[in-house]
Structure formats: structure tokens, C-alpha cells
Amino acid sequence: MATLLKDAAEFIMLKLSPTPVLGEKVLLVDFKNPNLYHRFFYLLLKFYKISGYQIIYPMTFAKFRNLRNGDPYLAFILKEENLLSIKDIKPNSNFVRITDEQFSAEYFKNYFSENNLEKNAFHIPMSFHPLMYHKNLWNNNVRNQNNRINSIFCYGNFDDKAYLEIDRTGFKVVNRRKLYEFFKQQSEFHLIKNQEDLNQILSEKPIGKYIFAEKYVYPLPMDDVQRTLSKFRFFLCCPGVVMPLCHNVIEAISVGTVPIIQREYAQVMYPKLENGKNAVIFENLDDLKDILKNKLFNISESDCKIMSDHVFQYYQDFLSPESVVENINCNLKSGATIYLNAEHRSIKFLK
């Protein structure tokens, strides 16, 4: 009852709030089932907001309650201050309208059935963790172009059960746990124990080390993610729970840190990453071992800087909120299908 009363008060307050004066950039949301996409729908709207759009999403009290009390990240569209208006406002003729029919959750359909060719389609690329945008930690302008540490950095959760799920999908990637065990067996492996340990690494700038920040040993603070990533030349991209894509590859790319990534993972980035230009791509663990031993740390500083520039340009052109919104709008005008990731639900379509 308490939740119902609180929801009702919030709903009435939003409905009675002053009607916004609409500018030139307006997004009208006409979505019946945003829950299908959970966090990725919040990210879609957030990108439009970051890009300077006023967002209008008229809704009933029933939908308001459903969205507000469901997926915690999707709920940000209503709990985040000034993200959108739920009033039934009629915009002028110059607005962008999005509907369920324009979007599809079959995100990996092209990869498995059409040789990964985008035919009259656009795949909205992976993004940072939702909290990075919600807390405004996504654009800290901390890119470091000089004197990066010539080592590999990796951070995140390496749970030995959750990250085995991807083995039951159609993807042929080395799962996160296997990658972790592979690096853990190497003499160059270093597990960060605390902030002081990380500070020492950043100060000493070791060469050829594999430096891991494991969530249950030293959880890298979210507001330090970009700054820490910007200190290293290379970042190891580990697959997500049920798909290769994971938010931390985008966080690394955003500061020009070169991703070390398995080929199938690189192929489901849109557009795909290119070996030697904006990524170091390996085929399997044997190939990775050879790259680590004979190639990676011998790349000159000038060549690493060129790669870093390409990585950062890739982010600017394809992954920044403004570039994503621009690409969505162009494809909406052409009538293309917009593929929006739905994670587990996207994987279920494959079955």
C-alpha cells in the first residue's frame, strides 16, 4: 500500500508539473513494451537526453508503476530527475518518434544467419554501464595520450559460475573465467589487493604485466574507471554472461586504451573492430599466448599512440551518445530495422 501511495503521488506530481516549452529537438516515445529491452531502453533514452533532446513519453498510471517498480535500470527513466515528461504533449512537425515496430530485440540475428551483414538495419552499439551515465561519470575527459603503462589492465567480476553461461550459447568465445585462469597461471599476473597496491602500480609503470582488479578483492570504484583505464596501453576484453559484449570494453575504448579481444567478440561490435588498427585480435588461447610472448609489448610507443588515436576516434564516430543518436535518426528515416540489445532475451531468440 505504501508503494502504491508513493507511486500515485509521484505520478500526479509529474502530470501536474508545468508543461515544457518544446524546442527544436524532441523525441516522442510511443513504446508499449520497453521492458523487453530493460537497461538498454533506459540507455536509448538517456543518449537522446545527452544529445539535447526533450523526451515526451505519455503513459498511464499502470505503465508508470510497471516501469518504476520493475528493472532497476529501466526505472531510471522515471526516477532520474528531468529525463522526460509523461504529459500528453503534441509536438510540432519537427520531432523524432520511436515505436516498438521500428525496433527488434533479435540483436544477433545478422551475425548467425546473414554472415553478419547489416541489410537495411542498424545495431545500436554496446555502451557503458548504466550507472556511469546515471551518475554522469561517462565523460570525464581523462584520456591520457602519453607515457601509458606498457601492460594489460583488466577489471570486473570473474565469478566461476555466472560467466560459464555463455558456453551454452552459439558463441565460440573463451569465457571470462577461462581467460582469468589463463592469465592467473602466468608469472606476469598481478592481482590488485587494494588502492595502495594500484597506486604503486601506477607509480612504478611496470612493463609486460597482466594487472587485474577483481570485484571481490578490489572493486575498482566507478568514478575511477576511466582515469585508471587511461593509464594503460592495453585492456583485456572479457565476454559477458551470455554474450561476448560487455560494458567495460566501451569504457576502455572511450579513453583510447587498446582492446585485446577475441575475433568473435570483435565481430559483434558494430562496426567490427580491426586488428592492428583499433584492436589487438586473437583467435584462441594459443594465439593469445604467442601475441603476449612475442608481439604485444614490443609495439613501439609511437605505434601504440597511433592505435590509441584510432581507438578513440572509433569511440567518437560510433559509440559516443551523440554519434549513436545521429546514426539511429538516419536509419529511422530510411526505414531500417533498429536492433536494440536485450541481453538474455536477445539470446533466447537464437534458440
Side-chain angles (χ1 to χ4, degrees):
M1 180 60 73
T3 302
L4 175 61
L5 292 174
K6 184 176 181 180
D7 289 344
E10 291 286 342
F11 182 77
I12 293 169
M13 184 175 68
L14 289 173
K15 282 290 188 180
L16 295 178
S17 63
T19 300
V21 178
L22 299 182
E24 295 182 1
K25 299 168 74 174
V26 177
L27 176 69
L28 178 61
V29 183
D30 187 11
F31 247 83
K32 299 176 181 64
N33 187 23
N35 308 70
L36 174 63
Y37 303 98
H38 49 96
R39 68 171 64 185
F40 296 101
F41 191 80
Y42 159 70
L43 291 167
L44 171 65
L45 300 193
K46 183 66 174 178
F47 277 23
Y48 272 95
K49 186 67 175 181
I50 290 170
S51 300
Y53 281 76
Q54 293 169 281
I55 304 173
I56 309 300
Y57 192 178
M59 64 182 70
T60 63
F61 181 54
K63 172 168 281 191
F64 177 85
R65 291 208 74 210
N66 178 272
L67 294 176
R68 185 176 167 82
N69 299 303
D71 179 86
Y73 299 122
L74 178 58
F76 285 158
I77 69 173
L78 295 172
K79 294 183 177 181
E80 191 169 301
E81 189 174 358
N82 298 323
L83 179 64
L84 53 77
S85 172
I86 65 170
K87 297 169 76 73
D88 192 3
I89 307 170
K90 303 299 182 185
N92 60 28
S93 58
N94 298 315
F95 65 94
V96 177
R97 178 173 176 260
I98 58 173
T99 68
D100 301 70
E101 292 74 22
Q102 296 164 320
F103 287 74
S104 172
E106 295 185 71
Y107 195 82
F108 302 104
K109 174 183 176 181
N110 293 62
Y111 183 78
F112 285 103
S113 63
E114 299 179 26
N115 200 28
N116 207 26
L117 297 176
E118 288 191 295
K119 300 176 181 177
N120 194 31
F122 174 68
H123 289 75
I124 297 177
M126 194 65 180
S127 49
F128 290 16
H129 191 282
L131 286 172
M132 296 281 279
Y133 300 102
H134 179 64
K135 296 182 177 182
N136 197 31
L137 300 173
W138 64 277
N139 195 24
N140 285 330
N141 194 27
V142 292
R143 185 181 173 220
N144 175 30
Q145 294 179 272
N146 301 304
N147 301 315
R148 288 181 177 240
I149 301 170
N150 191 14
S151 289
I152 297 171
F153 183 70
C154 187
Y155 73 99
N157 185 357
F158 298 93
D159 183 82
D160 59 355
K161 293 181 180 178
Y163 289 93
L164 300 182
E165 279 193 57
I166 197 168
D167 292 345
R168 296 190 287 272
T169 70
F171 296 108
K172 306 300 180 188
V173 291
V174 180
N175 69 52
R176 178 177 296 220
R177 189 63 195 182
K178 285 182 181 177
L179 277 172
Y180 182 74
E181 292 298 333
F182 169 84
F183 278 94
K184 193 176 180 181
Q185 292 169 12
Q186 314 303 317
S187 59
E188 298 85 356
F189 177 84
H190 181 92
L191 184 65
I192 298 292
K193 300 176 182 62
N194 49 47
Q195 183 63 53
E196 291 71 26
D197 189 12
L198 176 58
N199 290 341
Q200 186 172 352
I201 290 288
L202 298 178
S203 175
E204 293 178 353
K205 299 182 181 295
I207 297 173
K209 295 293 185 180
Y210 316 143
I211 299 159
F212 280 65
E214 203 277 320
K215 179 179 179 180
Y216 294 109
V217 178
Y218 171 70
L220 184 66
M222 193 167 283
D223 54 358
D224 282 344
V225 165
Q226 283 187 303
R227 181 186 64 82
T228 304
L229 285 166
S230 72
K231 303 293 185 182
F232 293 87
R233 286 189 182 180
F234 306 106
F235 177 76
L236 176 68
C237 302
C238 297
V241 176
V242 294
M243 61 182 180
L245 295 168
C246 185
H247 60 85
N248 50 27
V249 64
I250 312 304
E251 293 151 13
I253 288 173
S254 75
V255 292
T257 302
V258 178
I260 300 172
I261 189 167
Q262 195 168 4
R263 181 168 300 280
E264 185 154 329
Y265 193 159
Q267 294 286 317
V268 295
M269 297 281 289
Y270 293 97
K272 62 185 179 183
L273 296 173
E274 300 177 55
N275 188 38
K277 180 181 180 180
N278 49 29
V280 174
I281 295 177
F282 64 93
E283 302 292 341
N284 50 44
L285 289 180
D286 287 337
D287 186 36
L288 177 59
K289 189 173 185 179
D290 177 63
I291 290 170
L292 295 174
K293 182 179 179 181
N294 301 310
K295 302 173 185 177
L296 189 69
F297 303 115
N298 295 325
I299 301 174
S300 69
E301 184 171 351
S302 60
D303 286 344
C304 273
K305 186 179 183 303
I306 291 171
M307 287 185 71
S308 175
D309 289 341
H310 284 309
V311 170
F312 185 68
Q313 193 62 50
Y314 178 96
Y315 174 79
Q316 293 287 82
D317 291 344
F318 305 112
L319 303 179
S320 68
E322 295 86 354
S323 66
V324 171
V325 166
E326 183 178 351
N327 283 322
I328 292 172
N329 289 346
C330 287
N331 281 277
L332 285 172
K333 287 180 181 178
S334 70
T337 300
I338 310 297
Y339 288 101
L340 180 58
N341 200 339
E343 202 165 13
H344 286 77
R345 295 179 178 99
S346 291
I347 298 301
K348 285 183 179 179
F349 281 113
L350 298 176
K351 298 177 181 179

